[in-house]
Amino acid sequence: MKASKFTEVQIAFVLKQAEDAHRSANCAGKPGSATRRVKAKLREDRLPPVRVNETWAMDFVHDHLATGRQLHVLTLVDTFSRFSPAVDPRFSYRGGCCCYP
């Protein structure tokens, strides 16, 4: 078994913080108990696109290769024309690769 890079004191401190945060959030029930889910509402100001290059969508697709490595694919799609100008496959993404120009 691999040794932890954190000491027992550090682990206990983080667990204590999480327990205190759980109590202060006025959470009812035990951890892992069922909670009521609220369905998301659509925004009224969001209208369907009426021309090309008005609205874009970005999403990741994940898959495993035959070698066992996980492949991530970033796809960009124009929501009006369904044209995809960019499909970028990589083995790993960092925040700066897709969040900053």
Side-chain angles (χ1 to χ4, degrees):
M1 189 163 130
K2 188 175 179 183
S4 175
K5 62 181 178 179
F6 300 106
T7 65
E8 290 182 17
V9 174
Q10 290 172 324
I11 294 170
F13 177 75
V14 170
L15 291 174
K16 177 73 171 140
Q17 280 185 327
E19 183 180 329
D20 292 342
H22 180 73
R23 280 193 199 130
S24 66
N26 294 328
C27 296
K30 297 182 275 185
S33 64
T35 58
R36 182 173 170 256
R37 295 186 183 257
V38 179
K39 188 175 181 180
K41 295 180 183 177
L42 293 177
R43 293 173 35 183
E44 285 99 23
D45 64 340
R46 187 168 295 170
L47 300 173
V50 293
R51 64 179 184 272
V52 178
N53 289 336
E54 185 177 23
T55 308
W56 292 86
M58 179 172 81
D59 196 14
F60 284 99
V61 179
H62 306 277
D63 201 1
H64 290 275
L65 300 176
T67 60
R69 289 190 71 180
Q70 189 172 12
L71 182 68
H72 306 279
V73 181
L74 175 66
T75 58
L76 297 174
V77 179
D78 179 14
T79 57
F80 180 77
S81 66
R82 302 293 185 201
F83 173 71
S84 181
V87 177
D88 185 28
R90 295 187 189 184
F91 288 112
S92 66
Y93 276 94
R94 299 195 186 276
C97 296
C98 54
C99 296
Y100 301 105

